[in-house]
Every structure is written in structure tokens, then in C-alpha cells.
């Protein structure tokens, strides 16, 4: 699994939050999530591995489609 870009999308809402490499904090203006960049990237990598639905938000899918695409 390629970790490139794993800190660029919010792990809570999927909104793109661009960061320069020196930016060490994730702060989403869309949903208010605040985390250290490395912690945030680790969450996104874990979500990618299990197919977490928040990753579909950046692909333009609706919240309903996100919920139905996730099997518990």
C-alpha cells in the first residue's frame, strides 16, 4: 500500500486539506478535526487497508453511497 498523500484528505469527512511537507498539523476547516499530521496519516493508511467509507468522499460519492459501501 502506497502511503503517498495519506495526510491530504481528512480522515473524518474526506475533505481535501493540502499540506506542505513542513506542516505537522492536520486542521480540517470543513469538519473541525485537529490531529498531528503523522497520527492523521496513520489513520488514513489504516482506513485505506480496510476500505473505510470516508475515503470515498474525495471521489465525489454521496454520504448515502459511502454508508452502503461499508460492510460491518
Amino acid at each position: 500500500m502506497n502511503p503517498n498523500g495519506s495526510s491530504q484528505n481528512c480522515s473524518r469527512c474526506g475533505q481535501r486539506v493540502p499540506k506542505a511537507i513542513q506542516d505537522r498539523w492536520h486542521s480540517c476547516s470543513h469538519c473541525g478535526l485537529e490531529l498531528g499530521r503523522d497520527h492523521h496519516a496513520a489513520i488514513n493508511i489504516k482506513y485505506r487497508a480496510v476500505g473505510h467509507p470516508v475515503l470515498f468522499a474525495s471521489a465525489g460519492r454521496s454520504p448515502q453511497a459511502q454508508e452502503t459501501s461499508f460492510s460491518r
Side-chain angles (χ1 to χ4, degrees):
M1 178 156 311
N2 186 346
N4 287 350
S6 58
S7 68
Q8 301 299 310
N9 289 344
C10 181
S11 61
R12 180 185 288 165
C13 70
Q15 185 73 28
R16 183 137 177 91
V17 183
K19 297 170 196 63
I21 194 68
Q22 67 270 17
D23 296 334
R24 305 313 306 159
W25 192 252
H26 170 80
S27 180
C28 181
S29 60
H30 187 256
C31 72
L33 181 65
E34 301 260 342
L35 286 173
R37 180 184 184 138
D38 293 340
H39 183 183
H40 178 258
I43 292 169
N44 276 342
I45 291 168
K46 176 184 170 187
Y47 285 173
R48 285 181 183 179
V50 299
H52 193 282
V54 76
L55 299 177
F56 299 125
S58 61
R61 294 189 187 174
S62 69
Q64 293 80 17
Q66 291 176 31
E67 290 175 21
T68 58
S69 66
F70 184 65
S71 60
R72 293 175 195 229

